[in-house]
Amino acid sequence: MNQNTQETLEEFAAVIRDLSVVAVHIAQIEEAKAAAASARRHELLDGYIQDEQAHILKLRGLEQRRLKLMDALGWKSFTFRQILEKATSEQEHLLRPLFLELEQNLKRLEHARKSSEQIINARLREMNLIMARQQGRSYDNTGSLNAGSPVRTKLQDKYV
């Protein structure tokens, strides 16, 4: 392997490490958002979202760099599995642990994102319900908002 290819490979490995670190940071932010929403600390969400947006921009930059380096290494449009199949044993020894770590961190991020989204959506529905009640509207059993006054049950004024 020539010196230029070795440098490109090392830079590629560094980008994979950085992607993994950024994925962990975003997962931590998602977990913090979920905790804040669960604790009804909605005032914290804006700060978390701004921090998350900064990390997402960094992630996009790293992703663009990764794609350029893959192209330079002759791995354009290869999956990580395909890269490991085509790599020399030295390259595979360097990259396999990085790919596994990145995969684990991306799974953590996906799980954290889903959890955060579910909790935030539940809080939004809760807030919508409170606002609807304050405005004299109600929700039916299917979760649809009734535009008129709350529906009365048949048993409301009867003895059972």
Side-chain angles (χ1 to χ4, degrees):
M1 183 182 327
N2 66 36
Q3 183 65 25
N4 189 29
T5 303
Q6 182 62 34
E7 288 173 2
T8 305
L9 179 65
E10 288 172 8
E11 190 176 347
F12 177 73
V15 168
I16 297 299
R17 279 186 206 95
D18 290 344
L19 282 167
S20 190
V21 168
V22 172
V24 168
H25 285 124
I26 295 172
Q28 290 170 338
I29 293 168
E30 287 291 340
E31 291 162 354
K33 282 172 32 181
S38 290
R40 291 178 169 76
R41 301 280 320 269
H42 305 116
E43 70 276 4
L44 300 175
L45 292 177
D46 189 46
Y48 292 140
I49 290 170
Q50 288 178 8
D51 194 23
E52 183 179 38
Q53 288 172 342
H55 280 85
I56 289 172
L57 288 175
K58 185 174 183 179
L59 187 69
R60 287 182 182 154
L62 287 169
E63 185 64 10
Q64 288 175 352
R65 185 74 184 135
R66 179 187 69 84
L67 293 172
K68 286 180 185 176
L69 291 168
M70 284 177 60
D71 190 24
L73 289 164
W75 297 331
K76 186 176 183 175
S77 73
F78 281 15
T79 65
F80 288 160
R81 186 166 288 132
Q82 290 170 327
I83 289 172
L84 292 176
E85 289 172 1
K86 301 283 184 189
T88 65
S89 62
E90 180 184 317
Q91 292 171 331
E92 182 184 358
H93 182 71
L94 172 67
L95 296 176
R96 183 176 295 279
L98 297 175
F99 290 168
L100 290 174
E101 181 182 2
L102 179 59
E103 181 181 30
Q104 289 172 343
N105 291 334
L106 289 174
K107 285 180 182 178
R108 175 184 174 190
L109 172 58
E110 182 63 22
H111 177 73
R113 187 197 60 77
K114 285 180 181 178
S115 296
S116 174
E117 187 177 294
Q118 286 175 343
I119 292 169
I120 289 172
N121 284 336
R123 291 297 173 248
L124 285 172
R125 282 191 296 274
E126 208 174 79
M127 290 177 162
N128 284 336
L129 181 61
I130 291 168
M131 288 175 51
R133 285 182 183 155
Q134 288 176 345
Q135 296 172 356
R137 295 183 284 163
S138 66
Y139 282 89
D140 61 20
N141 290 339
T142 66
S144 300
L145 185 63
N146 293 325
S149 60
V151 177
R152 305 287 184 225
T153 62
K154 292 181 181 181
L155 299 174
Q156 184 169 346
D157 294 328
K158 297 181 181 181
Y159 292 103
V160 180

